[in-house]
Amino acid sequence: MRRGPLALIPTALILTLNGWSYAQSPQDSPTPTLKLTTREIVLDVSVSDSEGRSVRGLHQSDFVISENGKPQPIHSFAEFDQQPTPPDLPPELPPNVYTNYQPLPETGPVNILLLDTLNAQPADLAHEQEAVMDYLEKVPPGTQLAILWLSTSGLHTLQPFTSEPVLLRRAVQTRMFEFGSNMERWTRDWYTTDAIDQIAAYVSRIRGRKNLLWFTPRMPIPLVHDGGYSWPDPDSHGGWSAPDMGVVNRLMDAFELLTTEQIAVYPIDPGGVQGLGIESLRAEAVAEGLGGIAYYNNNDLGSVIARAIDNGSHFYTLSYRPPSRKDDGHFHSIKVEVNRPGLRLVYRKGYNAEDPRLHLPTSGPPLLNAALQAKVPSATQLYFNVAVQPQPASATQNPDAAGPDPTRPAQLRPAGSPVLGALARKYRKARLTRFDLVYALQPAQIAFADGPNGTHSGALEFQAAAYSSNRKLVTTLKQATTLPLSADTDPQSDDTPIFEFAQHLDLPPGRIYLRVGILDRLSNKVGTLEIPLTIPKR
């Protein structure tokens, strides 16, 4: 039975999704067990001829793998030459209604277009948008793309994975302009590395290859196996500055996360033809280490995108088990060869023998807080919709009216009424606009405790946090509620009404990133979502 937009969310997905759990502990067992583990190195190898065309039909016997110069037996082999099954489309929602239901493809290859304005100039973004629009005019059917945006305000999802060109064109035409050209270098490096970690977390549930097409000028960070320790930057006195070891260690971890998640990096410089320099060499090193190709000194960015996606869509996946089971922390070089002359192979050239982990919270209040601070991707252990819109002026001026009239002007906070939300001191004299937030979620997702006489009770917490374009906290709001159910109400039944909860929040003018979340206090499951808002001055 359909009951509004939430009825389009598959209940089976709601009941089985585990959220951001990167390692699961086995069930407690009375019988002690001995567990042996071994590292398996997975390599995606793109093979092309002298004219850049993908080579198909090779066999396992055509390949030879060496680690640190020693041949290794190939453990598994497969050729990939087709697009994966696309995920379900998210539900069509009314205006001003948002959902955190963003289905992911089960397997790769998939492609992430990262528009980087944190490290770029306005002209770079214009070139990127034009190139992506050009590519989308001829994108092969079934090509899975997601469009992400990195700026001074953080990493944002403009469009989750889809093969629908209409949705992708709409996303890439963003008019959000936040550039980090005036930001201190160390901060930009740190924010950029944060984004790489979040991208790895975002796609961690997709099996197989992922291609990261990173539109960024001059490769801002040395995303290589030694974290850039061997890539010092020139200083203002004509010498070389020592690398920041904190950044180096983070970059080493990020490099290994990308290799573990089979993320191939394709740096794309949107600046066009402008000569060669050390930045071009660094882009080459990043691409070579992470199994991609660097593109620069090219004005035809639309063709560059097509070549990069084609390169990452036709490949061979090989694996082997290295001779040493111990993580020694050293870099182990890899060489792959084929027994046919004149072919070009693209693959990652090695790995750091360590166990990289995204030490992220997996449930409960820590996950909710991290998601609201944009330190992890949106949590999807609970699916929900939320309607977010300014409260019409008639809502408080005429309490006897039948309902808000969306054609009337938005309601400024009534004079003399208390501010709704814990507003930062900086905004306390601003002209605030009052917003309504109405959450909706299916009771089947919620945990209920048994009560007397066959009754049940749930407990939910709703939080909202608003941030400015420079990541400063603007306001917060936290409320909790209980969900009593009578003995004759079954939360798993389709006849149980969708649960709704309303909040009201005062926001100042400007660009605001509103992050909302729900915590089930009994199960510790979390759902979160980010909503960009532009609130005009009045």
Side-chain angles (χ1 to χ4, degrees), residues 136-157:
L136 291 176
E137 292 296 325
K138 50 185 180 294
V139 58
T143 303
Q144 295 292 312
L145 292 165
I147 301 179
L148 307 183
W149 171 51
L150 172 60
S151 74
T152 58
S153 57
L155 182 70
H156 311 280
T157 302

Side-chain angles (χ1 to χ4, degrees), residues 125-184:
L125 177 62
H127 294 160
E128 295 162 16
Q129 291 175 307
E130 180 181 359
V132 176
M133 293 293 289
D134 177 61
Y135 170 74
L136 291 176
E137 292 296 325
K138 50 185 180 294
V139 58
T143 303
Q144 295 292 312
L145 292 165
I147 301 179
L148 307 183
W149 171 51
L150 172 60
S151 74
T152 58
S153 57
L155 182 70
H156 311 280
T157 302
L158 298 180
Q159 173 59 51
F161 284 103
T162 183
S163 57
E164 296 294 325
V166 173
L167 297 178
L168 294 164
R169 280 194 289 267
R170 184 187 307 161
V172 81
Q173 296 181 75
T174 178
R175 292 293 179 264
M176 296 184 286
F177 302 110
E178 298 166 2
F179 298 90
S181 53
N182 295 325
M183 184 177 288
E184 191 266 333

Side-chain angles (χ1 to χ4, degrees), residues 245-298:
M245 292 308 298
V247 175
V248 166
N249 290 329
R250 288 205 63 199
L251 288 173
M252 292 178 68
D253 290 342
F255 173 88
E256 197 57 28
L257 283 170
L258 294 178
T259 61
T260 300
E261 295 299 339
Q262 291 179 256
I263 301 175
V265 177
Y266 293 79
I268 300 176
D269 192 331
V273 177
Q274 52 186 336
L276 300 177
I278 190 172
E279 296 89 353
S280 303
L281 296 177
R282 186 155 68 180
E284 290 272 10
V286 169
E288 179 176 312
L290 291 166
I293 300 174
Y295 295 96
Y296 48 86
N297 276 342
N298 195 318

Side-chain angles (χ1 to χ4, degrees), residues 48 55 94 231 247 288 357 359 384:
S48 56
V55 175
W231 287 82
V247 175
E288 179 176 312
R357 295 270 178 191
H359 298 289
F384 66 93

Side-chain angles (χ1 to χ4, degrees), residues 10-11 240 349 396 446 499:
T11 303
W240 299 93
K349 298 303 190 292
T396 56
I446 304 169
F499 177 74

Side-chain angles (χ1 to χ4, degrees), residues 288-316:
E288 179 176 312
L290 291 166
I293 300 174
Y295 295 96
Y296 48 86
N297 276 342
N298 195 318
N299 290 324
D300 189 2
L301 291 184
S303 296
V304 163
I305 297 172
R307 291 204 302 272
I309 291 179
D310 181 69
N311 177 270
S313 299
H314 310 100
F315 57 94
Y316 301 86

Side-chain angles (χ1 to χ4, degrees), residues 309-329:
I309 291 179
D310 181 69
N311 177 270
S313 299
H314 310 100
F315 57 94
Y316 301 86
T317 296
L318 303 85
S319 74
Y320 72 95
R321 292 172 176 169
S324 175
R325 294 185 177 183
K326 293 183 178 180
D327 292 335
D328 56 21

